Each structure stands twice: as C-alpha cells, then as structure tokens.
Amino acid sequence: MRRVRTTKMEWSGIGSGMKSLVTVCVMVGLAAAVAMFGTSVKRVNAASENVAAKPAPTPLNADAAAALLEQLKESLTDAVESEDDVAAIQEKWDRRILTGKSRKQILDMLFADLKTVVTDKEAQDSIWETWQSIGADEESTEPTEPTQPTEPTMPTEPTVPREPVADMPLVGARSAFWRSPEVGITNDQKLRRVELMQKEFKDYIGQTRQFIPENGNYKGVPFVLRKDADDPDMELKVNAVKRGVAIVVDKGLTLPSNLTIYLVKDSDRFKNPLCFNQATGRSVRPVGMDCQEVMTIAYQRGINWAPIADIILRKITPTKPAALSDSGLMGLPKPSITIIHEIGHILHERHAGEFFFTLGPFRNTEWTAEVNRRGAADEAIAAQVSEYAKRNKKEFVAEVFTGAVLGKTFSAEVWEVYRRYRGPSIPRVLGSITYQRPNGANQQIRTTR
C-alpha cells in the first residue's frame, strides 16, 4: 500500500501576511474606537466643566432678604382677599430665618407657608406666577467667595443735615454723639435685642388663653385688634383704642404698616417672664431688658431685624409715675391716650433709625459728672411734660408726641430736646411755631427735623 504523506501547513510564508493583516485591522479598529469614545469623553468632561463653572445662586444678606420679604408681603394684599389670611401668612413668615438663603430657597419656604392658609390650587398658581418677577433682579449668579452668615442690619435712612448742637455722648453702642449720622448699634447687639424682644413678646402673648381677631379700618387705614377672650374690660378697650387710632390718622400721621394691637386682661400675673426665674423663685434682669411691671409695650423689630408694629395693651387704671394717659386730655379714657403713646414709640423708631436704640436713661452712675449734668438738665425739662416722661429719653419723646397730638402745648425747651432725640414729626401740629420764653421774649423754633 502506497502511503500518502501529509505535509503540515507552516505559517512562515503566507501565515506571516495574515498576521500582518490581522494586526493592521486591530490597530485600525482601536484607532476608530479611540476617536469615537475620546470625543464622547471630551464632551462629557466639557459638560462637567460647564456645570462646575455655573455658580450657585448667591445667598441673600439681611437687607436683601428683608426687602424681598416686604415685597412678598405687599403682593399678598392684592392676591389674598381675607385680611385674616394675610395676617396668618405674614405671622408664619416673620418666624422664618431668611438671611443666608438664596431667593429660590426663600420663595419655596414662604410658599409652603402660604399653601397652609391658601388652599385653592388656582389661587396658589396665580400667586406663584406673580412671585417669579419679585426680587429676580436682586439675585446674583456671579461666583463669590465663601462668607460667614451675614447678620441682620437695619435699612438706613438718608442722612439729614443737622446743625451741630452739643449733647451728652451716648455711652455704650458706638459711643458717638447724637448728631453723628453713623450712630447706631452693632449687628451683635441687634441679634441680642431681637432674641430678647421676640422671646418677651411670645412669653407675654402665651399668658393669654385665646385671642379673638378683629380687623379695624379707619378712613381706609387698616389695623388689627387681637382681643383676649377672658378680658371683662374688652368692650371698653376696643372702643377706646379705635378712638385713639382715629385721632392719630386725623392728625395726618401714617400708621405703622401691619399695626397689630393685642388687648390683654389686666392681671397681676401679667409680668415679664424673662425677669423671673421659676426654678429659684428669684427675680433676674437680663442685659438690655426692662423689668418694670408691664402696662403697655410696643415692639419695633422682629426676626431678621424686620420692621414690626406689635403693641400689647393691658392697663386701664392709673400708672405710677403718672403719665399723660392718666390726664384725661380731651376727655379721653386711658386706653385711647395710651395707644397714641405706643404708636408714638413705633413712629419714633421709624423716624430716628438705629439712633432710637441708643437712647436710654437721662443719667447713669457709670457716666462722667459732665454727662450726668447734661442728662439732669434734660430730665428737668422732661418734668414739664409728665412724671412718666422723666423715666427715660424714649418715654419723654412718646409723652411729648402724645401731648402734641392731643393739643397740649409745650415750651421751646421741650421741643428742642424732642428734636435732639429725633422725635417723629407731626404734620398738623409741628412746624415753625412761636413760643413764649420764660423771660417774656418770643422765639421761633423749627420743631420738625
């Protein structure tokens, strides 16, 4: 049998060509893959860079947050028919800490509060659409360096030129003279004051079981009454307060916006909770807190140093020391005169700016003899107004304001001190008036600033 020899194929010749061909194909394939995926990777990286380069919305500082809040509050009056609903929404908003948050965060937060009161979906959508243009130009998208959370600051009024008049320096705060336009209180002091005022206000209000709201309006000027359901003198207080508010409006004065008056029962238990330690049973006095018995009190600043106008009215009986509210001016009952006095405090703060918060007693044991001498001189002039006006500079201004609104006349010395403490102007009372000096000579003094 013939054996057939089988020859094993070698890769040395044609096999080498095939290797080369396979290698070339692989290389071409890899190049194509790199080209394709490399472009995708570049696109992904570029997109990532674009996302990273787009800055996050800048947090609003205290001024910008407060301004945005005020604009949103104003928008409610047109969008929400019920004044009670408006008041309820604004009360929720005033509890919010807005400083350091972006415009979008603030809108989302406040809209969530609004939806708990305004439940109609169509109304919600309409309000949200309106909000999209509010404060939009205030939000910056420029990248900024990380900063510490900003502290609340009070909007400043335009500086009004004043003639230089020597006066006692303000001890504490910035220890500047009253005429200095930069006089004010620091951000730390503002935070502390707001903390104390809000706690004091809530603790006072918390002593009342139930408030019954009533929307007041005089000649188109709105205000809100919140009445203690347990107060047997409520009808007297309501009628008296409405009469006092009407007098203020008739004098050409503008009531503070969102004025809310809490009428509470006159009880011995109604004392400042911050001034009494329940655990030890001892009286305490926090720094900056007035611990005298509370008869009435007006609050001017709330969360984020936002302007508020909340008044608590309690007393209908005479006070000690005697105030103009006990005088029966124009035949008015005490609550009518008292509410004018408290409105005067709020208007004083609005008119004087941060200077208002630097005003304290006429004299202090820590002050120099010269400073106390000047303070004693002003205190003696305050005695011309009332005993209560001698209590401190703020009470002096509020008492003069009250007397002027009710037609009481004062000496040129009283008006000069009132002007130095930046008391609010009264359009139909103050102006260029001639006063009789003690020596019989006439003097004309400009009583508005």
Side-chain angles (χ1 to χ4, degrees):
M1 176 181 292
R2 185 178 178 182
R3 180 177 295 178
V4 178
R5 185 176 179 180
T6 304
T7 304
K8 187 176 180 181
M9 185 178 287
E10 298 289 342
W11 285 85
S12 57
I14 188 168
S16 300
M18 292 183 67
K19 280 184 180 181
S20 300
L21 179 61
V22 171
T23 302
V24 169
C25 291
V26 170
M27 291 177 67
V28 170
L30 287 174
V34 168
M36 179 176 66
F37 290 107
T39 303
S40 300
V41 171
K42 286 181 180 178
R43 288 174 181 170
V44 171
N45 289 340
S48 300
E49 289 174 1
N50 288 336
V51 171
K54 185 178 180 180
T58 303
L60 302 185
N61 61 22
D63 286 343
L68 176 60
L69 179 61
E70 285 303 306
Q71 292 181 65
L72 294 175
K73 283 184 176 181
E74 290 176 3
S75 72
L76 287 180
T77 58
D78 296 327
V80 181
E81 295 183 358
S82 170
E83 293 183 359
D84 287 341
D85 287 348
V86 171
I89 294 168
Q90 292 182 351
E91 186 175 357
K92 290 175 181 289
W93 288 358
D94 287 337
R95 297 194 189 106
R96 293 292 191 181
I97 302 297
L98 306 181
T99 303
K101 293 181 172 59
S102 69
R103 173 179 172 274
K104 182 180 184 306
Q105 289 173 323
I106 292 174
L107 293 185
D108 289 344
M109 180 189 300
L110 300 186
F111 192 68
D113 288 337
L114 180 141
K115 290 197 294 185
T116 64
V117 178
V118 179
T119 55
D120 181 71
K121 183 64 167 60
E122 184 176 347
Q124 291 176 3
D125 292 342
S126 176
I127 293 171
W128 181 253
E129 183 178 355
T130 302
W131 282 15
Q132 300 315 298
S133 61
I134 296 179
D137 55 344
E138 299 295 329
E139 186 176 41
S140 171
T141 55
E142 297 180 1
T144 57
E145 294 295 327
T147 58
Q148 295 296 324
T150 54
E151 296 173 335
T153 56
M154 177 179 167
T156 57
E157 294 183 345
T159 301
V160 179
R162 298 180 177 86
E163 65 274 23
V165 179
D167 187 29
M168 58 183 290
L170 300 169
V171 177
R174 299 179 191 172
S175 298
F177 284 90
W178 72 272
R179 64 179 180 272
S180 303
E182 75 280 0
V183 69
I185 61 176
T186 66
N187 287 339
D188 287 341
Q189 289 171 316
K190 290 176 184 177
L191 288 170
R192 178 60 175 160
R193 281 180 183 270
V194 166
E195 179 184 344
L196 287 173
M197 285 190 290
Q198 289 300 295
K199 178 168 176 52
E200 180 185 54
F201 174 76
K202 291 177 181 178
D203 285 350
Y204 278 140
I205 297 306
Q207 297 178 54
T208 298
R209 180 180 61 85
Q210 179 186 0
F211 282 107
I212 302 172
E214 177 182 338
N215 292 320
N217 191 297
Y218 181 74
K219 294 184 176 180
V221 180
F223 58 96
V224 177
L225 300 177
R226 296 199 175 275
K227 305 177 291 187
D228 187 342
D230 298 327
D231 190 349
D233 301 314
M234 186 51 59
E235 184 177 357
L236 182 154
K237 288 180 179 176
V238 169
N239 293 333
V241 165
K242 287 182 178 179
R243 190 173 176 187
V245 169
I247 291 172
V248 171
V249 174
D250 285 341
K251 287 295 181 180
L253 290 156
T254 302
L255 290 183
S257 59
N258 300 318
L259 175 63
T260 303
I261 305 167
Y262 293 80
L263 305 175
V264 300
K265 181 180 179 181
D266 188 1
S267 168
D268 290 339
R269 294 190 301 275
F270 198 78
K271 299 182 184 298
N272 190 335
L274 300 181
C275 299
F276 185 76
N277 188 317
Q278 298 286 351
T280 63
R282 295 179 179 179
S283 296
V284 295
R285 183 173 183 176
V287 176
M289 183 59 61
D290 187 349
C291 286
Q292 298 193 35
E293 180 185 15
V294 171
M295 297 165 287
T296 56
I297 189 169
Y299 295 93
Q300 297 89 12
R301 293 284 153 180
I303 300 300
N304 294 323
W305 203 244
I308 60 173
D310 290 338
I311 296 174
I312 298 175
L313 188 149
R314 166 196 168 199
K315 298 284 286 186
I316 61 172
T317 56
T319 60
K320 294 181 180 179
L324 287 180
S325 58
D326 303 317
S327 65
L329 282 171
M330 292 179 58
L332 294 171
K334 180 180 178 66
S336 294
I337 304 176
T338 297
I339 202 64
I340 295 173
H341 175 103
E342 297 304 325
I343 290 173
H345 278 306
I346 298 174
L347 295 180
H348 184 197
E349 192 263 3
R350 300 293 188 267
H351 186 73
E354 294 183 29
F355 172 79
F356 173 87
F357 295 95
T358 69
L359 294 174
F362 289 104
R363 292 176 290 174
N364 190 303
T365 56
E366 299 178 359
W367 296 350
T368 66
E370 174 61 18
V371 168
N372 277 314
R373 183 188 68 77
R374 296 179 182 178
D378 284 353
E379 186 178 26
I381 293 172
Q384 299 178 28
V385 181
S386 71
E387 281 297 308
Y388 197 72
K390 295 164 54 179
R391 184 176 176 185
N392 59 53
K393 297 173 183 179
K394 293 178 185 176
E395 298 301 344
F396 164 79
V397 168
E399 284 286 86
V400 174
F401 173 88
T402 302
V405 167
L406 297 178
K408 188 175 175 62
T409 59
F410 298 112
S411 70
E413 296 168 319
V414 168
W415 285 118
E416 175 59 24
V417 177
Y418 181 88
R419 184 188 64 83
R420 283 198 279 112
Y421 295 157
R422 300 184 192 175
S425 59
I426 310 172
R428 299 183 187 175
V429 175
L430 305 184
S432 184
I433 306 174
T434 299
Y435 295 89
Q436 188 78 21
R437 298 288 288 176
N439 61 6
N442 291 331
Q443 179 184 12
Q444 195 174 65
I445 180 173
R446 188 79 179 171
T447 56
T448 55
R449 81 170 189 175

